[in-house]
Amino acid sequence: MLKKMVYYQRYHQWRKGDVPFVCENSKRVARPKLLFLVFLSFMSFSFILAPLFFPSAPTLSLLYSFGFEDEGVVSTSDVYASVCSSVSNGSICCDRSSIRSDICVMKGDVRTDSVSSTITLYRSNGYGSQVIGASGENDEIFQHEKIKPYTRKWEKSVMDTIDELNLVTKGENSAIHQKCDVQHDVPAVFFSTGGYTGNLYHEFNDGIMPLYITSQHFNKKVVFVILEYHDWWISKYENILPHLTEYPIIDFRGDNRTHCFPEAVVGLKIHDELTIDASLMGTNKTIRDFRDMLDRAYLPRIRGLIQEEEHETQLDKNISAFSPSAKTKIETTEEKLDVKKPKVVIIARNDSRAILNEASLVKMAQGIGFQVEVLRPQRTTELARIYRALNSSDVMIGVHGAAMTHFLFMRPDSAFIQIIPLGTDWAADTYYGLPARKLGLRYIGYKILPQESSLYNEYEKTDPVLTDPDSVNNRGWEFTKKIYLDRQNVKLNLRRFHKRLLRAYYYSMAKKNGHLHHQNQ
């Protein structure tokens, strides 16, 4: 957490500084105030009029890439980056200016060699000077770039686990030594599903969302090539991937054939308005477009699930018809009444940060008037089933952790109550509270008291673990993880929590009755 906090502070200080490019040996030179004001006025006037006269100017591309897009999903001037928006044929352009990720673009005759972890771009003989080798063929490497196509560039510990790719350019005569086994007529996007993949938060924040941004302007006419390929990842996101590409996905390491492409994007573009972690500071359009895509992705499967359940229900009714009972009639009546009740879904944890008095919480929610569903997501749980449960709910309750990423599945104007254990205040708001508000959810944070933490029984009442969690977090991530994430459970003060739950109930009923006032707390 400490590393993430440091990153967050550094990243946003950089944004606030508004200095995306730095020239070496630049010096501060004193200027008369009048001239400075004239210059500033001229620049401001130029930015206002520039779109009228230079709609495709590189300066505008830079502005769009920093969040000044015009109602589109992303500035379609080019999602790679303004630096590589115009890549000439036969060349490699790499943008390494982002603190989050590197991205390289290759245009021309692109061929893969998974054995040597190399992607080669062969350029025509008319491109630049030629060097003839002893074999009579031009085999000189004109450009060599290295890149790890994963989106946590600032975090060395995880980047050390990511496979590195060599990107090289050679003369076209060298291509005779590397024949194409598979010829593609659409571009490729190379990325890794290594690193923190396996954690839902990181799968969306560092994978699915950047992949969505990077692939948008290809309109599904793109091939995904994955390093550290996982079959389970493909199965888990089988509903989403067809909305990003209409081509089979390639396992880079598992497929030793030479694949040839007219263009390649290596790495994923991070867009500041489409990450979960505290970067939704601009407009909400991009994140909501992503959310709409999720709806389209899961709707067909959800319809299938409903049909399956209706079929099973009909079978049960046919069986019951032979021996009808008063109990069956009562249950049917109760089911009809439950439809009118607001629904709350409790995301239950199976390891640390569990709600120890979960049964009492369920009973209290039912007493208030909620229809309650307890959801226990497993790695093997189909996302469409989780999506259906949350998308049909009015309130989601859960303890801070990766499973809170499921707030993305909630309908706008639904309520999200996040239980915040000791030592997780900053992360809870940064990774889930703030983005949930941006997504249009009614966010209610519930910060537990020391007495509600299982740590209260392990430490002296004056111990900093209970009285000053920030001081513990400042000692390093390993302390945060060991104490607050791995060893802490929650026993809610139900009388205190009742107020938040009642607030969510009244909010949900007002929404159902059409008296909703948009206000997040």
Side-chain angles (χ1 to χ4, degrees), residues 20-21 56-66 75 77-87 93-95 97 103 105 269:
F21 298 105
S56 61
T59 302
L60 296 182
S61 297
L62 175 63
L63 287 176
Y64 290 146
S65 71
F66 277 87
S75 169
S77 56
D78 206 320
V79 299
Y80 307 139
S82 59
V83 175
C84 298
S85 59
S86 298
V87 184
C93 175
C94 291
D95 181 6
S97 62
I103 188 166
V105 182
K269 172 66 177 175

Side-chain angles (χ1 to χ4, degrees), residues 196-262:
Y196 291 131
T197 299
N199 176 292
L200 187 72
Y201 169 85
H202 290 290
E203 286 173 16
F204 271 91
N205 192 67
D206 305 328
I208 295 296
M209 287 178 161
L211 185 60
Y212 169 80
I213 282 294
T214 307
S215 62
Q216 274 303 284
H217 77 302
F218 290 118
N219 195 27
K220 298 195 290 186
K221 304 295 183 182
V222 61
V223 175
F224 293 157
V225 184
I226 301 181
L227 284 72
E228 199 164 328
Y229 180 100
H230 301 286
D231 287 329
W232 66 261
W233 186 88
I234 300 295
S235 298
K236 186 172 184 176
Y237 295 105
E238 63 181 353
N239 298 111
I240 295 176
L241 292 172
H243 288 263
L244 306 181
T245 176
E246 57 186 38
Y247 294 87
I249 294 174
I250 297 173
D251 175 2
F252 183 74
R253 297 295 179 197
D255 188 343
N256 291 330
R257 295 177 297 175
T258 298
H259 290 265
C260 300
F261 302 94

Side-chain angles (χ1 to χ4, degrees), residues 433-466:
L434 175 60
R437 296 185 192 102
K438 286 292 183 179
L439 193 58
L441 301 182
R442 172 64 172 261
Y443 176 71
I444 302 172
Y446 178 80
K447 181 179 177 181
I448 73 168
L449 299 175
Q451 294 88 335
E452 295 174 88
S453 171
S454 60
L455 299 176
Y456 191 75
N457 299 320
E458 297 183 30
Y459 293 87
E460 295 292 334
K461 306 307 178 274
T462 57
D463 194 290
V465 167
L466 302 176

Side-chain angles (χ1 to χ4, degrees), residues 1 18 70 108 171 206 209 319 327 407 429 473 479 493 519:
M1 181 179 295
D18 269 343
D70 179 22
D206 305 328
M209 287 178 161
I319 295 173
K327 181 180 179 182
F407 79 83
D429 192 59
N473 288 332
F479 289 95
N493 180 329
Q519 180 182 356

Side-chain angles (χ1 to χ4, degrees), residues 212-363:
Y212 169 80
I213 282 294
T214 307
S215 62
Q216 274 303 284
H217 77 302
F218 290 118
N219 195 27
K220 298 195 290 186
K221 304 295 183 182
V222 61
V223 175
F224 293 157
V225 184
I226 301 181
L227 284 72
E228 199 164 328
Y229 180 100
H230 301 286
D231 287 329
W232 66 261
W233 186 88
I234 300 295
S235 298
K236 186 172 184 176
Y237 295 105
E238 63 181 353
N239 298 111
I240 295 176
L241 292 172
H243 288 263
L244 306 181
T245 176
E246 57 186 38
Y247 294 87
I249 294 174
I250 297 173
D251 175 2
F252 183 74
R253 297 295 179 197
D255 188 343
N256 291 330
R257 295 177 297 175
T258 298
H259 290 265
C260 300
F261 302 94
E263 180 181 350
V265 179
V266 187
L268 297 180
K269 172 66 177 175
I270 292 288
H271 192 271
D272 291 343
E273 293 183 4
L274 194 59
T275 53
I276 300 174
D277 61 328
S279 54
L280 303 178
M281 299 297 187
T283 65
N284 302 339
K285 180 96 171 51
T286 307
I287 184 69
R288 293 193 177 184
D289 284 340
F290 175 78
R291 179 63 180 69
D292 290 342
M293 184 275 291
L294 292 181
D295 277 342
R296 295 192 303 273
Y298 285 108
L299 183 59
R301 175 56 181 153
I302 289 174
R303 285 174 176 165
L305 291 172
I306 293 173
Q307 290 175 355
E308 291 173 9
E309 291 175 5
E310 288 177 347
H311 179 67
E312 292 175 359
T313 300
Q314 187 60 47
L315 290 176
D316 291 340
K317 286 182 178 179
N318 292 339
I319 295 173
S320 301
F322 293 101
S323 57
S325 65
K327 181 180 179 182
T328 302
K329 293 179 181 179
I330 292 173
E331 288 176 348
T332 303
T333 303
E334 289 178 347
E335 287 173 1
K336 290 180 179 179
L337 291 174
D338 279 347
V339 173
K340 299 179 181 179
K341 294 181 179 180
K343 176 184 175 183
V344 59
V345 173
I346 300 173
I347 305 291
R349 293 182 60 90
N350 300 306
D351 43 20
S352 64
R353 283 162 284 154
I355 302 175
L356 299 177
N357 52 346
E358 180 185 290
S360 298
L361 172 61
V362 170
K363 186 176 180 179

Side-chain angles (χ1 to χ4, degrees), residues 12-176:
H12 285 282
Q13 286 170 358
W14 176 81
R15 289 191 68 186
K16 292 175 182 177
D18 269 343
V19 188
F21 298 105
V22 179
C23 297
E24 282 190 57
N25 300 324
S26 60
K27 298 180 180 179
R28 296 186 62 181
V29 181
R31 293 181 175 86
K33 290 185 178 180
L34 180 60
L35 291 178
F36 177 74
L37 291 174
V38 171
F39 174 75
L40 184 61
S41 299
F42 173 75
M43 291 300 295
S44 300
F45 188 67
S46 299
F47 281 126
I48 294 173
L49 294 183
L52 301 177
F53 300 102
F54 308 103
S56 61
T59 302
L60 296 182
S61 297
L62 175 63
L63 287 176
Y64 290 146
S65 71
F66 277 87
F68 291 86
E69 61 266 8
D70 179 22
E71 295 304 315
V73 174
V74 184
S75 169
T76 53
S77 56
D78 206 320
V79 299
Y80 307 139
S82 59
V83 175
C84 298
S85 59
S86 298
V87 184
S88 59
N89 200 48
S91 64
I92 303 174
C93 175
C94 291
D95 181 6
R96 304 184 188 275
S97 62
S98 172
I99 194 173
R100 292 175 175 266
S101 66
D102 292 335
I103 188 166
C104 295
V105 182
M106 310 170 75
K107 283 192 176 181
D109 183 359
V110 179
R111 307 188 186 189
T112 65
D113 181 7
S114 60
V115 175
S116 64
S117 300
T118 301
I119 306 174
T120 303
L121 173 62
Y122 295 98
R123 64 190 195 184
S124 66
N125 287 337
Y127 191 108
S129 61
Q130 297 296 302
V131 178
I132 306 299
S135 64
E137 299 294 344
N138 174 21
D139 200 36
E140 181 184 5
I141 293 178
F142 294 96
Q143 186 178 356
H144 185 187
E145 302 283 349
K146 292 180 179 290
I147 184 172
K148 293 185 175 185
Y150 189 64
T151 54
R152 295 189 78 82
K153 172 183 169 182
W154 76 91
E155 198 165 350
K156 185 180 183 302
S157 59
V158 71
M159 291 304 290
D160 286 344
T161 69
I162 303 299
D163 292 343
E164 187 172 60
L165 289 175
N166 295 292
L167 313 183
V168 300
T169 56
K170 293 183 178 181
E172 66 178 352
N173 291 336
S174 299
I176 63 174

